Amino acid sequence: MLIATMDASIVIISLPAIFRGIGLDPLAAGNIGYLLWMILGYLLVSAVLVVVLGRLGDMFGRVRIYNLGFLIFACASVALSLDPFRAGAGALWLILWRIVQAFGGSMLTANSAAILTDAFPARQRGMALGINQMTALAGQFLGLLAGGLLAAVDWRAVFWVSVPVSITGTVWSYLSLRETASGRRGRVDWLGNLTFACGAGILLAGITYGIQPYGGSATGWGNPWVLTGLSGGVFLLLVFCLVETRPRTLGFARAAGTRAVEPMFRLSLFRVRAFAAGNLAVLLTAIARGGLQFMLIIWLQGIWLPLRGYDFADTPLWAGIFMLPLTLGFLIAGPVSGYLSDRFGARLFATAGLVLVAGSFLGLLALPVNFDYATFAALLLLNGLGQGMFSAPNTSSIMGSVPAEYRGVASGMRSTFQNSGTALSIGVFFSLMVSGLASSLPAALSGGLQAHGVPAVSAEQAASLPPVSTLFATFLGNNPVGHLLGSSGVLDQLTAAQRATLTGHTFFPQLVSGPFHHGLTVVFGVAAVMALVAALASALRGRHEPRDGRLPEHGPAADSRPERPAGDGPAARADHPLR
């Protein structure tokens, strides 16, 4: 889990070194698509495929699919580090193998929680899943730090780091893991798989292209192709829901004595309150967390660190270092809350954790752009503690609320909500930020450049470039002014003092701090509201979950006593067979 989630974020910080290594400018107008697909391709594939792969794990063996995923992940890691091409072909090679790597990573994430749920008794499940979730969340932020460190050595080292881990893990998993649950064979639900994969893929791809400028607009939400993708994706997902609720060939299969078509996902699981509420909380929290991750990177790299004298080229590494309190919070709260939720139930810790997350967002909202680091670090630690408190008990509650034979698909659906939330957060929060910058940044940038000797025509031309390019420049550790003016030769016409001022550490951060802070208030305000709604959903999850009996659509099962510890309260543990 650690290496799979690290590889989802390690490329973000390393993109400047990667694109320099293959001889491609990531911020050139025609190359922004490469940049976005390097970031979002992994997330998109993970969001689309985890349910399918979790269902296949239920049918053919979770350990078998998990081991195959490790093997695919290892092969893709090796191929990424051996990119033989340059320029656009080199970028396409990396994007293609990142997609393959995401396919293998999805096999891991879709089945890991189900394997742990099968392997651990209910009284220890929260702790086991807590460690699993702790490593998954920590990997997202440790990837930022590792990317900054390794990119300074060699861009290929970003991909080398996962090679020994994935190869060792492949051998280890094949030698040590054993199936503990019997699969329920059935015919593959091809229609359900196709409509879900196409619908989710087209929808998330539309969101990806919605970030990019279109025509004279700062974003692409008015692009007919984007609108078609969004509406088409929603339509296919509605068709998927219709397909999954139809009893296709089940009666005929029973009469003929053949295997029936097993739905890819039983929508009736959403009748289990703990499952539905837990997944809603996962989605909203993932959106809020994704917005936090990307906005903090831009805040630190584009404004706060340059104002303190750090070179733009060094800001990616230092941003990862200064965000370590967030990871520390995960590491502390994940196992502890998982252990305590085994004893006292999931609802209290999951809900309280989300309240802490919302409070930390409100605290970040009140900070000035040029903040005091001690306060900032305390808020990051609080956010990490809150997310750690929420994640482990919530996962335990979701996994313990479904019958054992559906744990693979339940784990896949939880991962889908989590990965989709991260992808959605990029589209939502980047669009909010770009829209805010588009209304104020061009005038501020043009006026600031002209005040320091840049000709009016060149200043207007630089200010008219899409704000997303300027935003990505800070995101990737490039000096935006140097990027805007360097290729046109304008800097060579200025005096040494003027060049030093424009390309120095403080000119751009001071210029953009006002518009950027306005965007931050919107982003963190929305994130705080999402965290509070997620806390409400968590509080309404109920006290009981069905045990390994029939699903709600069949009526209450005779053996559907609550399976602990996924519920709340110590009293329900008394009838556990290990007690």
Side-chain angles (χ1 to χ4, degrees), residues 190-212:
W190 294 112
L191 185 58
N193 280 278
L194 183 64
T195 53
F196 179 82
C198 291
I202 292 172
L203 180 63
L204 293 176
I207 292 172
T208 301
Y209 282 105
I211 303 173
Q212 303 182 48

Side-chain angles (χ1 to χ4, degrees), residues 48 59 67 72 78 97 124 141 143 189 248 263 424 509 537 563:
V48 169
M59 294 173 62
N67 290 343
I72 294 173
V78 174
W97 283 105
Q124 296 177 337
F141 290 92
D189 180 15
R248 287 162 292 140
L424 285 171
E563 181 184 14

Side-chain angles (χ1 to χ4, degrees), residues 38 97 110 113 137 225 284-286 327 356 447 464 485 495 518 548 556:
M38 281 288 291
W97 283 105
L137 293 175
W225 287 106
L284 294 174
T285 306
T327 304
L356 289 181
S464 65
L485 300 178
T495 66
H518 173 72
D548 299 342

Side-chain angles (χ1 to χ4, degrees), residues 409-462:
V409 73
S411 176
M413 182 57 72
R414 182 194 59 80
S415 297
T416 290
F417 280 117
Q418 184 167 298
N419 295 332
S420 299
T422 303
L424 285 171
S425 72
I426 298 173
V428 171
F429 291 125
F430 261 91
S431 296
L432 289 173
M433 183 62 71
V434 168
S435 299
L437 291 177
S439 62
S440 54
L441 181 60
L445 185 57
S446 177
L449 293 175
Q450 292 182 53
H452 290 83
V454 177
V457 175
S458 299
E460 291 291 340
Q461 183 179 5

Side-chain angles (χ1 to χ4, degrees), residues 4 36 39 56 59 79 101 106 162 176 302 361 409 459 510 525 535 549:
L36 282 173
I39 296 175
L56 292 177
M59 294 173 62
Q101 190 182 49
S106 298
S162 60
S176 63
F361 280 129
V409 73
Q510 290 176 348

Side-chain angles (χ1 to χ4, degrees), residues 549-550 555-561:
R550 290 170 291 175
D559 61 340
S560 59
R561 293 170 298 171

Side-chain angles (χ1 to χ4, degrees), residues 56-68:
L56 292 177
D58 287 340
M59 294 173 62
F60 302 107
R62 292 157 193 164
V63 170
R64 179 181 300 174
I65 300 297
Y66 181 90
N67 290 343
L68 180 61

Side-chain angles (χ1 to χ4, degrees), residues 16 23 89 118 121 153 179 201 219 229 246-247 258 263 278 298 326 336 340 361 374-375 448 461 508 514 539-540 576:
D118 291 338
V153 178
E179 292 286 358
T219 59
R246 291 180 58 195
T258 61
I298 297 172
L326 189 63
V336 173
L340 292 176
F361 280 129
T375 305
Q461 183 179 5
F508 180 79
L540 295 176
H576 192 277

